[in-house]
Amino acid sequence: QVQLVESGGGLVQSGGSLRLSCAASGRIFSLSGMGWYRQAPGKARELVAAMTFDGRPVYADSVKGRFTITGIGAKKEVYLEMNSLKPEDTAAYYCHYSAGTDYWGQGTQVTVSS
């Protein structure tokens, strides 16, 4: 089993920054396959950023140049550094891990005011 716990969400003004953290426990042997998704009210859940199996991170076009995904494998932690936040970034952000089975955290709310 895998457990994912997010933290770091909150309310921030447009142009501000936030750092999300995801602490994983259980059968995770590398950060590959870990990432962040978000879901705004009335919209589908979408990929924000992920650590791929070839070691290169991938980002949604809407966050490229503003968000950065990093991690510390020994601690089983993944982070999402979010800069130049916009009101359209407002959503619940979910940590995700995929290894044949999809695992999700409980989500953390990010609200960006204009």
Side-chain angles (χ1 to χ4, degrees):
Q1 276 291 66
V2 171
Q3 294 80 41
L4 305 171
V5 179
E6 304 99 333
S7 60
L11 173 64
V12 64
Q13 288 188 333
S14 182
S17 298
L18 281 174
R19 185 179 189 240
L20 304 183
S21 299
C22 174
S25 60
R27 295 180 61 83
I28 292 181
F29 302 103
S30 79
L31 298 182
S32 298
M34 291 194 72
W36 292 92
Y37 283 70
R38 68 186 180 187
Q39 187 167 19
K43 294 188 176 182
R45 191 170 295 189
E46 63 175 359
L47 174 70
V48 177
M51 305 281 239
T52 63
F53 288 91
D54 64 3
R56 292 180 296 175
V58 293
Y59 297 95
D61 287 344
S62 59
V63 307
K64 282 181 181 176
R66 300 188 298 122
F67 290 12
T68 304
I69 185 171
T70 58
I72 301 177
K75 298 178 67 176
K76 296 184 182 180
E77 291 185 356
V78 173
Y79 313 101
L80 186 67
E81 188 74 37
M82 306 185 293
N83 298 312
S84 302
L85 282 161
K86 305 175 182 180
E88 50 264 44
D89 294 318
T90 295
Y93 283 71
Y94 297 89
C95 184
H96 172 258
Y97 175 65
S98 177
T101 300
D102 287 324
Y103 298 93
W104 298 94
Q106 81 286 356
T108 185
Q109 180 67 33
V110 172
T111 302
V112 184
S113 63
S114 57

